[in-house]
């Protein structure tokens, strides 16, 4: 399939997300954050446009219809924010795996340049400062350079006003949770308009003991 009429489900757009509160009360925090996310985003209503399944490792969120990146970003922001507030200043981490493109989800042949464009992500400021280790993988199989879209995405992150540094195997983004997620989801969806299969991996840390103890990069 190709063209501008494909649905997110036909393309295969979704993510896996997990939150890890470093608290003795982690089970309740995780379950309450999932419930609060469903309540805020009204995900128990029919025809929400997304499919959600929580397993023993992570929660799968697949987009069936509508604007894929904004819906996924809203879910991630709400879940992480809810868990953070309930953690009362304790360390919390979250891991996200974003994927768009047919492999493993749908059978189709996406043509570069003829993939539906995404709407930009707009999230209200959360007031939660995070550090995120971000990696972007354009899985082009036509021999085209993968570094060009990666470097373009990093430049966009720098232009966003976030603090951006390079570390081993990842780009580190620091700033408000909403701003960090907006940059990550926008970069992933932008590359996906040209590259048929794009994956992004993100590890987010909030209230890290390394920062509080002054360890920093050490």
């Amino acid at each position: 399939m190709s063209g501008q009429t494909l649905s997110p489900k036909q393309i295969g757009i979704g993510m896996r997300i997990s939150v890890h509160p470093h608290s003795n009360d982690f089970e309740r925090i995780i379950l309450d954050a999932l419930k609060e996310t469903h309540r805020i985003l009204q995900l128990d209503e029919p025809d929400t446009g997304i499919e959600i399944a929580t397993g023993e490792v992570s929660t799968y969120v697949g987009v069936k219809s509508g604007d894929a990146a904004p819906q996924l970003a809203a879910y991630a922001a709400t879940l992480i924010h809810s868990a953070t507030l309930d953690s009362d200043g304790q360390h919390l981490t979250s891991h996200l795996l974003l994927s768009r493109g047919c492999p493993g989800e749908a059978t189709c042949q996406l043509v570069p340049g003829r993939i539906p464009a995404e709407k930009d992500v707009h999230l209200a400021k959360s007031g939660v400062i995070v550090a995120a280790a971000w990696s972007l993988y354009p899985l082009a199989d036509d021999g085209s350079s993968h570094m060009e879209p990666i470097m373009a995405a990093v430049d966009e992150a720098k232009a966003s006003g976030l603090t951006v540094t390079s570390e081993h195997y990842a780009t580190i983004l620091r700033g408000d949770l909403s701003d960090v997620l907006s940059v990550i989801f926008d970069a992933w969806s932008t590359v996906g308009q040209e590259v048929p299969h794009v994956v992004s991996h993100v590890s987010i840390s909030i209230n890290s003991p390394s920062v509080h103890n002054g360890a920093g990069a050490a």
Side-chain angles (χ1 to χ4, degrees), residues 149-161:
I150 292 174
M151 295 312 300
V154 172
D155 287 342
E156 286 292 324
K158 292 178 178 177
S160 72

Side-chain angles (χ1 to χ4, degrees), residues 167 210 214-218:
E167 295 189 7
S210 297

Side-chain angles (χ1 to χ4, degrees), residues 69-212:
Q71 290 187 85
L72 293 173
Y75 188 97
T78 306
L79 181 66
I80 296 169
H81 187 252
S82 297
T84 299
L85 293 182
D86 207 9
S87 293
D88 195 25
Q90 297 181 87
H91 187 208
L92 181 138
T93 57
S94 179
H95 301 288
L96 297 85
L97 177 65
L98 317 179
S99 181
R100 54 181 297 123
C102 301
E105 291 297 323
T107 301
C108 62
Q109 294 295 323
L110 297 176
V111 178
R114 296 175 62 188
I115 304 171
E118 286 271 16
K119 288 187 177 179
D120 291 342
V121 171
H122 298 285
L123 298 169
K125 291 278 190 179
S126 70
V128 175
I129 301 302
V130 308
W134 169 47
S135 301
L136 180 66
Y137 305 102
L139 302 178
D141 56 8
D142 60 359
S144 58
S145 172
H146 64 283
M147 285 306 299
E148 184 175 340
I150 292 174
M151 295 312 300
V154 172
D155 287 342
E156 286 292 324
K158 292 178 178 177
S160 72
L162 295 175
T163 300
V164 182
T165 56
S166 295
E167 295 189 7
H168 296 296
Y169 316 126
T171 296
I172 307 302
L173 307 178
R174 292 181 174 86
D176 187 273
L177 170 66
S178 296
D179 295 337
V180 168
L181 289 176
S182 294
V183 165
I184 288 169
F185 278 90
D186 281 342
W188 169 66
S189 61
T190 296
V191 174
Q193 294 173 32
E194 296 294 331
V195 180
H197 190 204
V198 184
V199 171
S200 191
H201 182 265
V202 186
S203 292
I204 292 175
S205 179
I206 301 168
N207 297 321
S208 170
S210 297
V211 175
H212 293 326

